[in-house]
Amino acid sequence: GACSSPPPEMTMQRAAVIGCLALAAGQSVASFDNMRAARIHTAITKEDTSGVYVDSIAMPTPGKGEVLIEVHTSSVNPVDWKLAEQGLYITPSQLGADVSGVVVGVGTGCSRLQVNDEVWSDVGYSGLLPGAHGNGAWAEYVTVAEEIVSKKPTSLPHSMAGALPLVALTAYQSMVTAGAPWDPNSNISV
């Protein structure tokens, strides 16, 4: 069931921030059976964000090739609220693309990451596709394909790392589109 719903006069950006803060401020989960997640239940507008709730839902289990991440931080990107405003999510879906946290479980077939690895990722928008599990990062835990998760740079605290994945991907895609010259085997730091 729903824990809370923001007042209709709030903008989506404020609702998203409050949803993230509600997750961060709450008590830790008493068992590994359930967790809290900010989810969209109905299309919203800038004037009416009442379709976003912090729900208690079943804890995800990593499938083949997936890791389970305990979320330390996430962020709010313009695309988060734009997709929600346009009613493009399959409902209910967890929101949020960026994650920084710690691996607490690995599925079969994972070989690169291990439990206790500090990681970051753009989890994508699986809530847009029919049959997807809508596994967004505005939750206490999230499962993500190992192939799109990287170890977090040790120089970045989780608070910063959780704000970078989608922004960095957008910057990288802009450089590719603009034809930036580089060796295809090089690492790019954005």
Side-chain angles (χ1 to χ4, degrees), residues 78-115:
V79 71
D80 294 318
W81 58 267
K82 287 178 182 177
L83 290 172
E85 270 188 334
Q86 294 174 23
L88 297 177
Y89 282 103
I90 305 296
T91 57
S93 285
Q94 281 174 228
L95 302 171
D98 295 334
V99 64
S100 180
V102 175
V103 174
V104 293
V106 294
T108 60
C110 292
S111 58
R112 191 171 46 81
L113 298 174
Q114 301 173 11
V115 170

Side-chain angles (χ1 to χ4, degrees), residues 13 31 61 88 101 132 175:
Q13 297 95 322
S31 75
T61 303
L88 297 177
M175 290 188 299

Side-chain angles (χ1 to χ4, degrees), residues 43-84:
I44 61 168
T45 65
K46 287 182 182 176
E47 295 78 31
D48 182 7
T49 59
S50 61
V52 178
Y53 295 89
V54 176
D55 294 334
S56 177
I57 62 171
M59 173 80 94
T61 303
K64 183 177 181 180
E66 293 182 329
V67 295
L68 177 64
I69 300 171
E70 179 181 34
V71 177
H72 285 218
T73 58
S74 186
S75 64
V76 178
N77 292 289
V79 71
D80 294 318
W81 58 267
K82 287 178 182 177
L83 290 172

